[in-house]
Amino acid sequence: MLGRRRWMITVAGVFALAAAGLGCGKNEGANEWKVGAYLSLSGAETQFGVDTKEGTELAVEEINAAGGIKGKKVKVIYEDDKSNPQETNNKVLQLIDRDKVVALLGEVASSRSQVGGIAANKKKIPMISPSSTNPDVTKIGPFVFRVCFTDDVQGRMGARFVVNKLGKKKIGVLYAADDLYSSGLATEFMDEAKKLGAEIVVEKKFPKTETNFTTYLNDIKAASPEIIYASVYYNAMVPIGRQAKAAGIPGSMFVGGDGWHSDTLVNDAGEELEGAYFTNHFSPDVPWPNSQAFVKKYVERFKHEPSALAAQGYDSAKLLFDAMARAKADTPEAIRDAIAETKGFQGATGTITINEQRNAEKPIVIVQIKGKKFTYFDTVTADK
Ligand code: PHE
């Protein structure tokens, strides 16, 4: 008997020691929130991931400096999906199964948020995409949210800007046929432009990997549009801008969507795209007090201005933390419910309300490229 009791005491002691050891080691598990962020930190759309990560980091530093959430610090585990869908799936499953995250932040590109969203929804882990705008992303299911507007709204507002504000009636359209975001946004834009009485005089699609746009641009020029809507990412818009200039198409003829947004665009093709407009989530010179407070903090921390992606990354994390604090329990399900109930959240990118479809209702910013800089032009309020 005695022998057995002594043995049990020893076992208890070992457990106590082990627990204490773990407590000051890397495995502080119970004392911190684990959130997973999957982003393109390398590969074709590196800038998307890098910018978003900075915004997210700022939000994490702020919440932890303020004591964390319900007395627990937040730890964000970042995973690089290499701008690749297969890698995205692996990394998201790793965050869920290995790291046991309570929530996920990501991705930027709609095609990858779709992959990550399917995994998150299946495993019942809430996910918030900072900037994926394709409508299909949140349609995946109840665990998938976003803090940005959607492309049905963005395309509609873009078309109204082109037709009603700029007064253009003959439109050329250029997009990547095999990219969810690019082709989806082009379709939404064309539908609305036609409704408004404009004519799509030429429509050119290219494969996502295309680098030489001269033939497409010459075909567009031959159809004599008054304006060209290019719903493409910045990494395609740089060669398009440059090759358009060489083909005699002025940059001011182009209008695009949020995918244009990266400093790379103005640095590498800012001159060629002088005067072009695009719809976006944010601009560092946007005249909203909340946004300006964010810009100031961001510049102090990172020594450069925040991009729209950084602002969206910040808002996705902040909104998640706000929901975690409100959640009725510390579980992924309860956090999901709290995200779904978000109303009038004061973000760096405007006031955000999560609607029934798990999308964000918020304003859209129109940005113009002027003197190789992104310049705030106007705000349009999205209708339902
Ligand atoms: N909206 C784009 C998509 O859904 C991603 C993006 C957002 C790119 C903001 C640039 C800036 O794929």
Side-chain angles (χ1 to χ4, degrees), residues 284-304:
D285 56 345
V286 81
W288 308 331
N290 242 339
S291 310
Q292 283 314 313
F294 161 73
V295 172
K296 193 163 171 280
K297 284 187 284 193
Y298 190 95
V299 171
E300 264 165 33
R301 172 69 177 79
F302 296 107
K303 315 290 176 227
H304 62 92

Side-chain angles (χ1 to χ4, degrees), residues 192-232:
E192 180 72 10
K194 284 184 224 156
K195 267 187 214 153
L196 297 172
E199 188 193 345
I200 309 300
V201 293
V202 56
E203 179 184 340
K204 286 279 150 193
K205 319 169 204 192
F206 58 85
K208 205 177 154 79
T209 48
E210 186 62 89
T211 52
N212 188 345
F213 298 93
T214 309
T215 311
Y216 306 100
L217 290 164
N218 283 333
D219 287 353
I220 289 175
K221 198 178 170 195
S224 322
E226 295 165 325
I227 200 125
I228 304 160
Y229 188 73
S231 54
V232 304

Side-chain angles (χ1 to χ4, degrees), residues 114-313:
Q114 201 180 36
V115 172
I118 290 170
N121 195 64
K122 202 164 149 205
K123 300 262 182 183
K124 297 193 167 24
I125 300 296
M127 163 187 137
I128 305 179
S129 164
S131 343
S132 286
T133 46
N134 186 276
D136 289 354
V137 172
T138 44
K139 284 182 190 157
I140 290 169
F143 282 79
V144 186
F145 297 86
R146 74 179 108 214
V147 291
C148 54
F149 48 72
T150 49
D151 286 338
D152 45 345
V153 182
Q154 174 171 215
R156 206 184 312 142
M157 300 323 259
R160 288 186 197 171
F161 177 73
V162 164
V163 181
N164 297 341
K165 186 113 182 180
L166 300 179
K168 309 292 182 190
K169 292 277 155 57
K170 288 172 72 193
I171 304 171
V173 182
L174 178 63
Y175 60 93
D178 51 352
D179 180 72
L180 184 64
Y181 160 77
S182 188
S183 58
L185 181 54
T187 306
E188 301 287 0
F189 172 90
M190 287 188 281
D191 286 352
E192 180 72 10
K194 284 184 224 156
K195 267 187 214 153
L196 297 172
E199 188 193 345
I200 309 300
V201 293
V202 56
E203 179 184 340
K204 286 279 150 193
K205 319 169 204 192
F206 58 85
K208 205 177 154 79
T209 48
E210 186 62 89
T211 52
N212 188 345
F213 298 93
T214 309
T215 311
Y216 306 100
L217 290 164
N218 283 333
D219 287 353
I220 289 175
K221 198 178 170 195
S224 322
E226 295 165 325
I227 200 125
I228 304 160
Y229 188 73
S231 54
V232 304
Y233 286 150
Y234 72 96
N235 47 10
M237 201 55 210
V238 168
I240 290 172
R242 290 179 161 189
Q243 291 163 23
K245 177 96 188 271
I249 303 171
S252 58
M253 272 190 75
F254 285 96
V255 172
D258 61 333
W260 280 22
H261 195 96
S262 163
D263 280 349
T264 309
L265 184 71
V266 277
N267 291 341
D268 295 358
E271 233 169 270
E272 290 86 346
L273 290 170
E274 173 70 20
Y277 293 99
F278 64 105
T279 45
N280 205 6
H281 309 271
F282 168 88
S283 177
D285 56 345
V286 81
W288 308 331
N290 242 339
S291 310
Q292 283 314 313
F294 161 73
V295 172
K296 193 163 171 280
K297 284 187 284 193
Y298 190 95
V299 171
E300 264 165 33
R301 172 69 177 79
F302 296 107
K303 315 290 176 227
H304 62 92
E305 282 194 334
S307 69
L309 291 156
Q312 290 291 124

